[in-house]
């Protein structure tokens, strides 16, 4: 057998996400690179690891067993690395964090200096929607989570990081609305573009339009903020999106903010964790770092 740790890591991510595309995104690799590594790993076995029917991936029973073995192997490798670092008096361990999709514009700035100062810390980030983020906390699958809407749940402790403002947007043509424009006009105009159920942004949009007394609108539903953004740029409709993910497009003029009463909608980015969780030394160190440095990070990157 000539499989590599890199191949095992990539295969495990494909199994966890049930998608080559999502695995590539989370590993910061191209889709062809992931496919090649999976092909090379499969070449080591006579029994299929995965089956592709249509465009959907199915993990075989044998593939699931290999994935479980891969996880055990990788955990042992991490343990060896941690022990080596510990003998050098370095902070060692893994941080597991789940974040809502727009969180990718926030979390890296709260991690970069911490990881640079503590090279023995490894990070695992799961990017998904709000519903699954909270589920991962309740199932004790992660150390921290990043959410962007009001969270009134006594199960979690939290720390506020920065504000999150959401605006109604269109492209350079669809944003040319009359001053007398009424939300009811959406019934005759282009549709509103929503995220999927379980998304925090969708929850905020639905709450806002309910307060406006608007229902029965045309809708398009997409599975990611990037897909929503591109659909709005293409002129398919309007949406409400966090400014943090569309600044470049607004500055370039490909997206336009549409000013309306009650907008922007302001929420808070919050780092949350289960109040009953016993935090590891790495988790405690990260929480202390965030508490001591969040204001400087906010001023440096988000003003």
């Amino acid at each position: 057998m000539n499989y590599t740790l890199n191949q095992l890591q990539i295969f495990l991510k494909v199994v966890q996400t049930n998608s080559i595309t999502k695995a590539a995104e989370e590993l910061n690799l191209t889709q062809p690179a992931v496919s090649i590594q999976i092909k090379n790993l499969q070449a080591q076995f006579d029994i299929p690891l995965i089956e592709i029917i249509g465009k959907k991936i199915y993990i075989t029973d044998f593939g699931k067993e290999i994935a479980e073995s891969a996880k055990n192997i990788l955990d042992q490798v991490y343990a060896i690395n941690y022990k080596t670092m510990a003998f050098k008096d370095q902070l060692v361990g893994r941080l597991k964090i789940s974040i809502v999709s727009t969180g990718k514009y926030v979390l890296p700035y709260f991690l970069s200096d911490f990881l640079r100062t503590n090279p023995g810390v490894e990070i695992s980030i799961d990017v998904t929607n709000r519903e699954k983020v909270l589920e991962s906390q309740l199932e004790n699958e992660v150390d921290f989570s990043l959410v962007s809407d009001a969270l009134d749940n006594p199960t979690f402790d939290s720390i506020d990081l920065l504000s999150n403002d959401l605006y109604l947007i269109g492209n350079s043509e669809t944003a040319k609305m009359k001053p007398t424009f009424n939300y009811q006009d959406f019934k005759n105009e282009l549709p509103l573009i929503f995220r999927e159920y379980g998304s925090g942004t969708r929850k905020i949009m639905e709450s806002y339009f309910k307060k406006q007394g608007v229902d029965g609108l045309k809708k398009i539903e997409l599975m990611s903020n990037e897909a929503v953004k591109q659909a709005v740029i293409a002129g398919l409709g309007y949406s409400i999106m966090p400014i943090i993910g569309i600044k470049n497009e607004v500055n370039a003029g490909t997206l336009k903010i549409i000013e309306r009463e009650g907008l922007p909608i302001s929420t808070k980015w919050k780092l949350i964790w289960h109040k009953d969780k016993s935090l590891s030394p790495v988790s405690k160190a990260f929480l202390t770092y965030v508490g001591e440095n969040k204001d400087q990070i906010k001023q440096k990157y988000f003003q």
Side-chain angles (χ1 to χ4, degrees):
M1 291 294 180
N2 296 312
Y3 49 78
T4 67
L5 292 175
N6 185 47
Q7 289 170 354
L8 294 179
Q9 184 179 39
I10 290 174
F11 176 64
L12 183 58
K13 183 59 69 174
V14 169
V15 172
Q16 291 171 341
T17 61
N18 208 39
S19 167
I20 288 177
T21 300
K22 290 181 180 178
E25 291 176 355
E26 294 190 19
L27 293 169
N28 292 317
L29 297 172
T30 64
Q31 187 172 331
V34 171
S35 297
I36 289 171
Q37 292 303 318
I38 294 299
K39 182 179 179 180
N40 291 340
L41 178 64
Q42 177 64 77
Q44 308 298 313
F45 304 98
D46 295 328
I47 305 173
L49 299 172
I50 64 175
E51 294 177 340
I52 300 178
I53 302 176
K55 293 184 178 180
K56 190 171 182 179
I57 286 180
Y58 296 88
I59 311 301
T60 66
D61 289 341
F62 179 68
K64 291 175 182 177
E65 291 189 16
I66 294 300
E68 184 62 29
S69 296
K71 183 179 183 302
N72 293 334
I73 291 169
L74 292 169
D75 284 345
Q76 289 298 315
V77 172
Y78 294 140
I80 292 171
N81 291 340
Y82 298 155
K83 288 177 181 178
T84 302
M85 294 291 186
F87 273 103
K88 297 179 181 179
D89 292 326
Q90 294 184 18
L91 182 66
V92 296
R94 298 186 76 189
L95 271 178
K96 296 182 180 180
I97 306 178
S98 59
I99 66 175
V100 295
S101 58
T102 318
K104 62 179 176 286
Y105 300 108
V106 176
L107 184 63
Y109 297 100
F110 288 86
L111 283 171
S112 57
D113 284 345
F114 177 77
L115 294 177
R116 192 177 299 114
T117 305
N118 300 286
V121 175
E122 296 186 3
I123 183 77
S124 172
I125 302 175
D126 180 30
V127 183
T128 183
N129 63 35
R130 178 184 184 274
E131 185 176 281
K132 293 180 179 178
V133 163
L134 297 182
E135 181 181 330
S136 67
Q137 274 292 330
L138 293 173
E139 295 297 324
N140 196 33
E141 296 173 349
V142 296
D143 300 302
F144 298 104
S145 296
L146 185 66
V147 296
S148 62
D149 60 320
L151 187 70
D152 185 17
N153 189 326
T155 303
F156 305 118
D157 286 329
S158 67
I159 181 171
D160 290 349
L161 301 184
L162 65 154
S163 62
N164 182 39
D165 296 331
L166 296 91
Y167 290 84
L168 177 67
I169 57 168
N171 70 6
S172 57
E173 292 299 320
T174 59
K176 294 178 180 177
M177 297 179 175
K178 301 185 295 292
T180 57
F181 177 85
N182 187 288
Y183 281 119
Q184 291 292 341
D185 293 340
F186 272 124
K187 293 182 178 180
N188 302 314
E189 293 277 341
L190 294 173
L192 282 166
I193 302 173
F194 282 77
R195 283 285 306 278
E196 79 284 2
Y197 283 104
S199 161
T201 301
R202 182 187 182 113
K203 180 182 176 184
I204 290 170
M205 280 184 68
E206 289 179 333
S207 176
Y208 173 75
F209 284 111
K210 184 177 181 180
K211 290 179 181 177
Q212 302 301 317
V214 181
D215 57 16
L217 300 177
K218 296 179 182 178
K219 292 182 181 179
I220 293 176
E221 182 178 302
L222 298 174
M223 298 298 291
S224 72
N225 280 339
E226 186 61 30
V228 171
K229 181 165 62 176
Q230 294 304 321
V232 175
I233 290 173
L236 292 182
Y238 309 93
S239 190
I240 290 179
M241 296 193 71
I243 189 65
I244 197 167
I246 59 174
K247 280 183 178 180
N248 291 339
E249 290 77 11
V250 170
N251 291 336
T254 54
L255 287 178
K256 299 286 186 180
I257 291 173
I258 303 169
E259 295 185 2
R260 282 294 179 272
E261 183 179 354
L263 295 172
I265 302 165
S266 293
T267 63
K268 291 284 187 181
W269 284 106
K270 295 175 178 287
L271 189 71
I272 68 170
W273 61 97
H274 200 292
K275 69 174 185 179
D276 294 329
K277 185 175 181 63
S278 297
L279 297 180
S280 67
V282 170
S283 296
K284 290 179 181 178
F286 179 62
L287 197 58
T288 298
Y289 168 82
V290 170
E292 293 176 349
N293 294 276
K294 64 174 184 173
D295 290 339
Q296 297 94 307
I297 295 171
K298 177 180 176 180
Q299 290 174 3
K300 183 176 180 180
Y301 297 109
F302 299 101
Q303 295 290 5

